[in-house]
Amino acid sequence: MMHSTPENLRDSVCWELPHEPAAVGKARTMVAESLAAWRLTVIADDVVLATGELLSNAITHGRPPVRLSLHLGEAELCVHVTDHGPDLPRTVDADSDAVHGRGLAIVATLAHGWDVVPLTGSPGKTLRACWDLGRPAADHRFDDEPVSRR
């Protein structure tokens, strides 16, 4: 079961981001720096890539404000991306030559779990991707279990 924030929260950071594509690159750098400070470099590449995909979706399909937060628990790291667009994201079967449509599939492959939580009382949603810090970074890609939303 995915929690809204990890149990036994150790640290967290949150940024309000401009609703523009250039914010994605800057956010990737901020995430990488936070993960380095938390000594989580073993999963940094996966987290940074997944965060970029979530933010690209929020900026392309959502509405401002866009918020990015990282929550570090004793056994879990969660990335939350919130935007205020009314539509929920959807997965699509992208053709091999498609330019768009792979973002959520990439997140599902990289994270140990992900989900979408609609905001209450206003349009918008939070996409959450989490990594179990007790599992090796690439281990989950070869599980016998199918990747699913938790």
Side-chain angles (χ1 to χ4, degrees), residues 104-118:
L104 293 177
I106 290 170
V107 172
T109 299
L110 298 175
H112 293 140
W114 73 277
D115 66 4
V116 181
V117 179

Side-chain angles (χ1 to χ4, degrees), residues 12-18 23 26-35 38 47 51 55 65-71 77-83:
S12 63
V13 292
C14 183
W15 301 278
E16 294 280 336
L17 300 173
K26 292 175 186 173
R28 285 184 186 136
T29 299
M30 296 184 303
V31 168
E33 289 170 352
S34 295
L35 296 175
W38 293 340
V47 175
T51 301
L55 283 171
V66 174
R67 178 179 296 123
L68 166 63
S69 56
L70 306 178
H71 304 281
L77 172 77
C78 292
V79 174
H80 295 187
V81 174
T82 301
D83 75 74

Side-chain angles (χ1 to χ4, degrees), residues 9 13 16 20 28 32 40 47-48 75 83-84 89 114 118 127 132 146:
L9 188 66
V13 292
E16 294 280 336
E20 57 189 40
R28 285 184 186 136
L40 294 175
V47 175
V48 168
D83 75 74
H84 292 80
W114 73 277
L127 280 85
D132 178 349

Side-chain angles (χ1 to χ4, degrees), residues 95-110:
D95 293 333
S96 61
D97 58 347
V99 177
H100 301 286
R102 292 186 185 86
L104 293 177
I106 290 170
V107 172
T109 299
L110 298 175

